[in-house]
C-alpha cells in the first residue's frame, strides 16, 4: 500500500514513521522538516524505544508525491481551507482518504470534494510533540479508532486498521464514526478549552471542586448533544463520564494540545472542536449553554 | 441625623463626604485613610466640581463612634465575617442600617444579627475610586435605589432618600428591594465576571459578536433567576436587557470593580455576586448554567 502523509506535524510524523518502519511505502509532504529529513532522516523518541529512519521519502508538493492508495491527513483544522487543493494530485479513482484531524467537519469537507465513498475518519489518542526538525517525540498513548464516513462495517476500514496494528499502533475499526468522534469531544470540549482559557493543566481543573463540577457539566452537555445525533447506540453518559474523569486523573498535570497552541501563540482549532459541534447539536434542537460560553471566551482570546 | 460610615472605601468616602457637605453629622470608621484625614481632611475630586472637607470625624473603632441614627455600610462583601461585630457598638434600639454593598446576602446577615426591621438595602450606581490617602475620585454616576429589607413602602426609606437628594446624590426609595438588587445583578453578573476573567473592558466584550451574545445569554439567565423570586412585578427581560446593553455601550472601555480587584490582586466578591444568587435561583428551581461556569472559572483564579 502506497500511503501519503499530509500535515506532517507531531501526529503525521509519528504515525508515518511507525508505518514506514513496518514496511509500508510512506511519502511525507513536508515543510518545516524537509531539509532536516532529506539530510538526516527521521528520528522518533519514544518510551517504547527510540528509532531512526535514515531514508525517508519527503516531498515539498503533493504533485511530486503523485498517486497513492491512501492519504492520511494530520493537518491542523485551522488550515483546512488549503486541504482539498493539497490532496487533489494524490487522488486516483481508488484512493481512500483517512482524516485523523480533531473535531467535526473534516470528513464532510473531503466528501464534498472527492465523494463520500472515498472518505474515512479516525480519532487518535496520541500524546506527541515535535522536537528539532527531523525529530518527533512520542510521549505516550497512540490508539486510533477509525471508520467509514458513510458509516457501517467495511473491509477497507479493517484493512487499514490491520496495517496500523502490524505497525504496532493500536487500532480499531468502528462501525459508527460519528459516535467515536463525539466520544472524543466529550473529553476535548471541556479540557482543551478550559486549559487553554485558564492556562492551567487538567489536574488543576479536577483538583478544584467548582471547576471539576463544571467539567462534568460540560461533558454532560456534550453527551446530550451527541445522543441527539442518531448514533447506533447512545453514549451511556454517567459511566462514560466517570471513566473520562478517572482516565484524566491518571494523566497528572496534562497540558492538552489547545493549551499548548495558545501558550505558543498558534491559532486554536475552535471551529472543529466547538463551532461545528455546537451547530450540529443545535440542528437537532440541543443547546449546550456552557459550551457556547466557553467557545465565545476562547474566540475572544483569538481576536488579538 | 447622626450617620456612621462603615467601610470607608471609594463608595463610603464619597457618599459620606457628600452627606457631610450638605450638613449631616457624619462619622467615618477609617483604617488606611485615618492619619491623612485627621491631618488634612478629606478631598473629593469630581466632574461635578472638586471639594475639600477640612474637618472630618474619623475614628479607628466603632466603639469610639458610639450610637448613631443610621449606619451606611460600604464594606467589600468578602470582609462580611467582621461586619456584625463592627456594627454592634453603633446600634441603639432605633438605629437603622443601610447596606450599599454589592450582590445578595448582606441584608440577611444584618437582619439575623439586629432584626429585619432595622435593615435597609440599596444599590449604588457609582463610579469612583480611591486616590492617595485622604482623597477619593468621583468619576461619574452616583444614583442610589434603596428600600426596606422587609419590603413595601416606608417613611424611613423616603426620609433617607431625601437626605441623599439634599446632598445632591440622586436617590429613589423603592418598594421592592429584591427586584432592585436582581436588576443590578443583571449587569454585574456578566460584566464583572467576564471582564475580571478575560482582563478586557466592557467594550471589548460587546465589540466581539460571540461574547456580546454570551453577555445577553447570561443576562437572560439572570432575569429568569430574578423572576423566580416572587418579585412585585417581573423584570421585562428583552427591553431591560436592551437598555443595559445600550447603557454599557455608552460607558466606553469601562473596567468594572471586579476587574480592577483582580488586576490589583484583591479578593473578588464572588459569594455576593455569584454564589448566593445561584443558590437563590436554585432554591426556586432555576439553574443558570452559564453563570455557574463563569463563577467556577472566577473561583479557580482565586485559588492561588
Amino acid at each position: 500500500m502506497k500511503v501519503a502523509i499530509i500535515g506532517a506535524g507531531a501526529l503525521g510524523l509519528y504515525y508515518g514513521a511507525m508505518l514506514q518502519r513496518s514496511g509500508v511505502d510512506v511519502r511525507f509532504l513536508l515543510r518545516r522538516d524537509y531539509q532536516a529529513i532529506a539530510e538526516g532522516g527521521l528520528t522518533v523518541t519514544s518510551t517504547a524505544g527510540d528509532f531512526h529512519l535514515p531514508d525517508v521519502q519527503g516531498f515539498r508538493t503533493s504533485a511530486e508525491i503523485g498517486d497513492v492508495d491512501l492519504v492520511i491527513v494530520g493537518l491542523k483544522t485551522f488550515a483546512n481551507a488549503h486541504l482539498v487543493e493539497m490532496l487533489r494530485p494524490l487522488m486516483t479513482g481508488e484512493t481512500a482518504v483517512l482524516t485523523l484531524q480533531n473535531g467535526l467537519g473534516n470528513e464532510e469537507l473531503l466528501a464534498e470534494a472527492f465523494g463520500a465513498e472515498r472518505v474515512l475518519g479516525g480519532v487518535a489518542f496520541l500524546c506527541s510533540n515535535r522536537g528539532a526538525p527531523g525529530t518527533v517525540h512520542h510521549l505516550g498513548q497512540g490508539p486510533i479508532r477509525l471508520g467509514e464516513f458513510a458509516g457501517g462495517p467495511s473491509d477497507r476500514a479493517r484493512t487499514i486498521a490491520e496495517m496500523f496494528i502490524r505497525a504496532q499502533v493500536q487500532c480499531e475499526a468502528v462501525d459508527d464514526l460519528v459516535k467515536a468522534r463525539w466520544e472524543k469531544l466529550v473529553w476535548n470540549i471541556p479540557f482543551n478549552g478550559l486549559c487553554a482559557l485558564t492556562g492551567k493543566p487538567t489536574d488543576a481543573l479536577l483538583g478544584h471542586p467548582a471547576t471539576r463540577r463544571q467539567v462534568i457539566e460540560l461533558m454532560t452537555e456534550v453527551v446530550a448533544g451527541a445522543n441527539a445525533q442518531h448514533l447506533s447506540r447512545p453514549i451511556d453518559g454517567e459511566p462514560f463520564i466517570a471513566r473520562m474523569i478517572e482516565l484524566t486523573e491518571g494523566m497528572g498535570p496534562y497540558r492538552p494540545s489547545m493549551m499548548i497552541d495558545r501558550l505558543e501563540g498558534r491559532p486554536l482549532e475552535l471551529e472543529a472542536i466547538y463551532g461545528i459541534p455546537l451547530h450540529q447539536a443545535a440542528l437537532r434542537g440541543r443547546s449546550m449553554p456552557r459550551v457556547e460560553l466557553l467557545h465565545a471566551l476562547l474566540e475572544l482570546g483569538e481576536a488579538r
Side-chain angles (χ1 to χ4, degrees), chain A residues 29-285:
Chain A
L29 181 66
L30 298 174
R31 222 172 27 188
R32 196 201 71 162
D33 291 23
Y34 179 84
Q35 200 59 38
I37 287 178
E39 290 168 5
L42 175 55
T43 301
V44 176
T45 73
S46 172
T47 48
D50 302 352
F51 65 94
H52 178 71
L53 303 173
D55 297 310
V56 170
Q57 302 180 77
F59 300 86
R60 283 198 189 273
T61 67
S62 37
E64 297 169 73
I65 297 178
D67 295 357
V68 294
D69 303 304
L70 174 66
V71 182
I72 297 176
V73 181
L75 205 67
K76 287 273 186 183
T77 55
F78 52 72
N80 270 356
H82 309 290
L83 180 57
V84 168
E85 57 186 278
M86 288 165 86
L87 260 54
R88 217 175 281 284
L90 308 168
M91 306 295 289
T92 69
E94 298 296 318
T95 307
V97 184
L98 169 65
T99 166
L100 298 179
Q101 297 169 282
N102 272 324
L104 301 187
N106 306 304
E107 290 87 3
E108 287 77 358
L109 177 72
L110 296 169
E112 200 183 311
F114 304 114
E117 73 287 356
R118 318 288 290 280
V119 179
L120 301 99
V123 293
F125 300 85
L126 175 67
C127 182
S128 65
N129 57 47
R130 296 165 83 163
T135 302
V136 60
H137 302 298
H138 173 230
L139 306 174
Q141 301 274 4
I144 295 171
R145 305 178 72 206
L146 59 83
E148 294 284 339
F149 170 58
S154 98
D155 288 340
R156 177 167 66 176
R158 272 189 297 273
T159 303
I160 297 171
E162 283 158 14
M163 176 186 74
F164 275 112
I165 290 165
R166 277 194 304 275
Q168 298 181 35
V169 172
Q170 268 185 274
C171 190
E172 178 193 4
V174 298
D175 295 350
D176 188 347
L177 176 63
V178 176
K179 186 177 179 186
R181 284 251 176 241
W182 277 91
E183 284 180 341
K184 188 158 186 222
L185 287 171
V186 173
W187 194 94
N188 275 343
I189 283 179
F191 284 113
N192 269 289
L194 291 174
C195 293
L197 185 68
T198 64
K200 292 177 196 273
T202 53
D203 63 339
L205 296 172
L206 291 179
H208 182 70
T211 43
R212 183 188 184 93
R213 194 173 147 224
Q214 291 307 306
V215 166
I216 293 170
E217 295 283 1
L218 281 158
M219 288 182 166
T220 304
E221 288 186 3
V222 181
V223 167
N227 286 341
Q229 308 296 320
H230 308 306
L231 306 182
S232 52
R233 279 193 316 167
I235 300 172
D236 193 358
E238 255 183 69
F240 186 79
I241 290 172
R243 202 161 74 243
M244 289 295 109
I245 298 289
E246 200 188 315
L247 267 172
T248 313
E249 287 183 320
M251 292 158 68
Y254 183 70
R255 308 187 332 157
S257 61
M258 189 174 282
M259 176 180 170
I260 295 172
D261 284 341
R262 174 144 294 179
L263 287 172
E264 299 188 351
R266 285 191 294 271
L268 308 186
E269 299 189 282
L270 295 185
E271 262 309 281
I273 297 182
Y274 295 93
I276 298 175
L278 278 164
H279 182 66
Q280 289 296 333
L283 284 179
R284 312 262 194 243

